[in-house]
Amino acid sequence: MKARTLLLASFLLCSLFGSFLAAEQNILVFLGPPGAGKGTMCKKLSTVTHKPHISTGDLIREQSKAQSALSKELNSYLEQGKLVPDEVIFKMLIERVSQEDCADGFILDGFPRTLDQAKKLVSIFPDKDRLIFVNISVGDDTILERLQGRLICSDCAKSYHTSFTPPAQENQCDDCHGKLVARVDDEYTVIQKRLEVYKKEYAPIQSFLKSNYQWVDVKNHSADECYAQLVNKVNSINTEFLD
Ligand code: AMP
């Protein structure tokens, strides 16, 4: 009953915001496995373009901190490395991208994660010219190395790595002095689960989107090289996305 009410509410929201959301928004959509560097690329692009970086993972982690039945449920998905149900994620995403700062476009990270989500996204934003999908690929060994050493600031969410990008002071954020913590889902067995989910869901998303939509592939051997590649490739399709 509760799930049905949520589902209905999310469809109502979609119809209500549908016309607003279909406005002239250029949307860069980042795809790739956990640890591919999507967050790093999106944050950098957001600083350069002044367009908001919308990470569905961040939205969920933020919501999971509240004291509510929903937050308990979200924590359980996070801890197990499982995907949060579509109706929950749609509602969060639509509420966020309906805010005024997204009116000129935004950078989407972590959505879509399933074929249904991909179909939903392109139905809400039907103008193909205004979507570019950026697919980042990276090897499993690199993913494990990156995620197992990752630390996140519990206040501002800035990301560090114990070996590659350590903070100046142990366990303290350089920017806001918040406490650095490992994410609950960066534990070895949960990383394996997240990779398994990604591998299962990604192929149908790619075959649906790659041949029908503007799409670029980049490899993430190093952050600088990956950033340069994606800027070049996105600009070769349309320079307005990174204005
Ligand atoms: P991320 O920060 O993108 O690695 O996401 C962390 C976790 O949030 C994922 O393992 C899922 O549990 C959940 N999540 C993020 N985005 C989605 C999505 N689009 N659909 C379902 N669950 C999601």
Side-chain angles (χ1 to χ4, degrees), residues 198-210:
Y198 168 78
K199 285 174 183 168
K200 176 172 160 269
E201 302 290 346
Y202 176 69
I205 298 179
Q206 182 182 17
S207 44
F208 172 61
L209 294 172
K210 191 167 178 173

Side-chain angles (χ1 to χ4, degrees), residues 123-184:
S123 74
I124 300 175
F125 300 102
D127 185 347
K128 288 187 173 183
D129 292 340
R130 296 203 173 272
L131 286 169
I132 297 182
F133 293 90
V134 180
N135 176 46
I136 306 185
S137 58
V138 67
D140 285 2
D141 290 350
T142 310
I143 290 174
L144 278 169
E145 195 179 26
R146 282 185 187 164
L147 296 186
Q148 286 183 292
R150 179 161 68 175
L151 293 173
I152 303 283
C153 173
S154 47
D155 290 338
C156 73
K158 184 169 175 178
S159 181
Y160 295 84
H161 189 280
T162 45
S163 314
F164 310 141
T165 49
Q169 296 277 334
E170 203 179 342
N171 286 329
Q172 193 182 93
C173 178
D174 295 348
D175 291 354
C176 74
H177 307 298
K179 187 172 174 220
L180 302 187
V181 291
R183 272 174 45 172
V184 283

Side-chain angles (χ1 to χ4, degrees), residues 56-57 60-61 78 82 84 89 110-111 113 117 183 194:
T56 46
I60 290 164
R61 277 184 290 279
L78 288 172
K82 289 186 179 166
V84 167
I89 204 88
F111 188 100
R113 290 281 237 277
Q117 292 185 4
R183 272 174 45 172
R194 289 160 67 203

